[in-house]
Amino acid sequence: MEEKKKSRWKDILRLVIFLGIGVFFIYWFLLKLDSDQKAAIWQSFRSADYWWVAAAMLCSLLSHAIRALRWQLLFHPIGYHPRINNTFGSVMVAYLANLAFPRAGEVMRCATMRTSENIPMEKSLGTVVTERIIDVLAFGLIVLFGLVVMLGKAKDWLYDTLSEKFTHLPNMTMIIGALVLLAAIAFVVYKFFWKRLLKFALFKKVDDLARGMVDGVKSVFHMGWKSSLLFLFYSAAIYLLYILGGLIIFHAFGETSWLGLRAAFVVYLFGTVGMTFSQGGIGVYPALVMMGLTDIYGISMEVGTACGWLLWGSQQAVVVAVGAVYLIYFSIKKRNHKPLKQSSN
């Protein structure tokens, strides 16, 4: 009982901290604006073409539906075949829960699958962990891709920003050399010293995390080649739709309508970083999107702010509206369903 109380207080503390960060960013941003700037931002909101905002919302909804289809595939190797309506609803309820409490969504996903499909919590949790591992690795690869091949204004902005803080920047040859050296050191440490280091708790946790990530990736390729290819296709589609959502929002404003896929990719990277700093990205996500648009592409602060808030708001509006409907749906449904048959394999 005491442990549950401590856990509850930790959840509340996390919520207060993450929400506090978001509220602080909003307050800090508004504090810097004069009355003319506030009026200009409001005018940008009023002049936006909301048909494009609606299109961005549909794009966001489609990405969630594809995520549900991808999640469905992870159940097949363990003998379960949940219905798409329930996997999609669980995904939406999870996103809704994460707006309230950090990491509460994972538990909600598993709970709704138990009540709607009679899938044990531990089975669902395994698929959620695998999916999270894939997402982390995929985003890491996307960031790496962005840093390596980022072209044009975004690359110039990154170089100029770093040049202001560091007198001498390493060239590509030095970076590759450093990476090769680090890889060689890591190999030597793993080959000759890793077993000894595992006696320390920190290295043991790192080893468990690494093995879990490897196992999670391997499980994707144990579904059969068709399912594995479909999983990779769904993953690519999800991230492409995230980027496409930003490209669509650009068309809601005349000043940003000329921006293309590269700018949408940069905005996606900035926005995703913002999602990690505050609860649901509130305050930070729009601020970072605005910074990317103004500093890199010369968009006015007023339009950049409106663009950032509409991009973030369109995503969260879908989560709140659809997530709330499915929360009611799962509450009413409870266990009034036919037990799901598990395969004999």
Side-chain angles (χ1 to χ4, degrees):
M1 190 68 179
E2 193 67 28
E3 289 295 324
K4 286 185 178 180
K5 286 184 178 180
K6 288 182 180 180
S7 179
R8 190 179 298 113
W9 278 109
K10 285 182 181 178
D11 288 340
I12 293 173
L13 183 61
R14 288 194 197 101
L15 175 63
V16 171
I17 291 173
F18 279 97
L19 275 178
I21 292 172
V23 172
F24 168 76
F25 267 89
I26 296 173
Y27 174 76
W28 176 71
F29 175 72
L30 292 175
L31 199 64
K32 297 193 304 178
L33 301 178
D34 57 34
S35 56
D36 291 337
Q37 288 174 320
K38 291 177 182 177
I41 292 172
W42 177 244
Q43 182 57 37
S44 295
F45 277 114
R46 292 181 61 184
S47 61
D49 186 343
Y50 283 88
W51 285 109
W52 287 108
V53 178
M57 292 173 70
L58 287 175
C59 190
S60 179
L61 187 64
L62 182 58
S63 72
H64 298 322
I66 294 176
R67 180 175 289 277
L69 287 169
R70 189 184 71 168
W71 187 32
Q72 230 182 2
L73 293 174
L74 294 175
F75 284 102
H76 296 173
I78 57 176
Y80 293 96
H81 300 272
R83 287 154 286 195
I84 183 59
N85 179 54
N86 290 328
T87 52
F88 175 66
S90 294
V91 166
M92 298 310 299
V93 168
Y95 278 119
L96 182 64
N98 279 334
L99 287 177
F101 290 97
R103 301 303 173 195
E106 283 76 2
V107 177
M108 287 295 293
R109 281 174 76 170
C110 299
T112 51
M113 291 307 289
R114 182 184 61 186
T115 58
S116 63
E117 295 283 359
N118 204 28
I119 299 176
M121 288 278 287
E122 64 273 13
K123 297 290 186 180
S124 294
L125 187 59
T127 62
V128 171
V129 170
T130 298
E131 191 183 39
R132 283 284 171 256
I133 290 170
I134 297 299
D135 284 337
V136 169
L137 291 175
F139 181 69
L141 289 173
I142 290 170
V143 171
L144 184 62
F145 173 80
L147 292 175
V148 171
V149 305
M150 193 180 288
L151 303 173
K153 295 182 178 180
K155 184 179 181 181
D156 295 338
W157 173 83
L158 182 63
Y159 187 85
D160 292 342
T161 302
L162 292 175
S163 297
E164 291 176 2
K165 297 186 177 182
F166 302 98
T167 307
H168 300 289
L169 291 176
N171 56 36
M172 187 58 66
T173 303
M174 293 173 64
I175 293 173
I176 293 174
L179 290 174
V180 171
L181 179 62
L182 286 173
I185 293 172
F187 175 78
V188 171
V189 169
Y190 179 78
K191 194 73 176 176
F192 299 103
F193 302 102
W194 194 247
K195 288 184 179 179
R196 297 177 185 176
L197 292 173
L198 287 178
K199 295 178 181 178
F200 299 95
L202 176 61
F203 288 96
K204 184 67 169 63
K205 287 183 178 179
V206 172
D207 185 71
D208 290 341
L209 179 62
R211 290 181 185 278
M213 294 180 76
V214 170
D215 290 340
V217 174
K218 283 182 177 178
S219 68
V220 172
F221 297 97
H222 291 163
M223 299 185 294
W225 70 271
K226 287 185 178 180
S227 294
S228 296
L229 286 177
L230 194 57
F231 186 94
L232 295 175
F233 171 76
Y234 285 154
S235 299
I238 290 168
Y239 290 103
L240 183 60
L241 284 168
Y242 288 162
I243 297 168
L244 187 60
L247 184 63
I248 291 172
I249 283 291
F250 291 160
H251 287 81
F253 303 91
E255 192 175 337
T256 56
S257 60
W258 62 274
L259 294 173
L261 199 58
R262 288 179 185 172
F265 178 72
V266 172
V267 162
Y268 163 71
L269 293 179
F270 275 59
T272 304
V273 171
M275 292 294 286
T276 64
F277 280 96
S278 67
Q279 189 65 21
I282 184 172
V284 186
Y285 182 107
L288 289 180
V289 169
M290 180 271 292
M291 184 179 75
L293 291 174
T294 56
D295 292 355
I296 300 176
Y297 297 101
I299 304 300
S300 68
M301 182 272 295
E302 294 81 8
V303 172
T305 300
C307 192
W309 276 102
L310 281 183
L311 181 56
W312 178 82
S314 63
Q315 296 169 359
Q316 304 312 316
V318 169
V319 168
V320 171
V322 181
V325 170
Y326 271 101
L327 187 62
I328 296 170
Y329 167 78
F330 285 124
S331 299
I332 294 173
K333 188 173 183 180
K334 297 292 183 180
R335 291 183 179 273
N336 297 328
H337 67 279
K338 295 180 181 179
L340 191 66
K341 293 181 179 179
Q342 187 173 1
S343 67
S344 58
N345 294 334

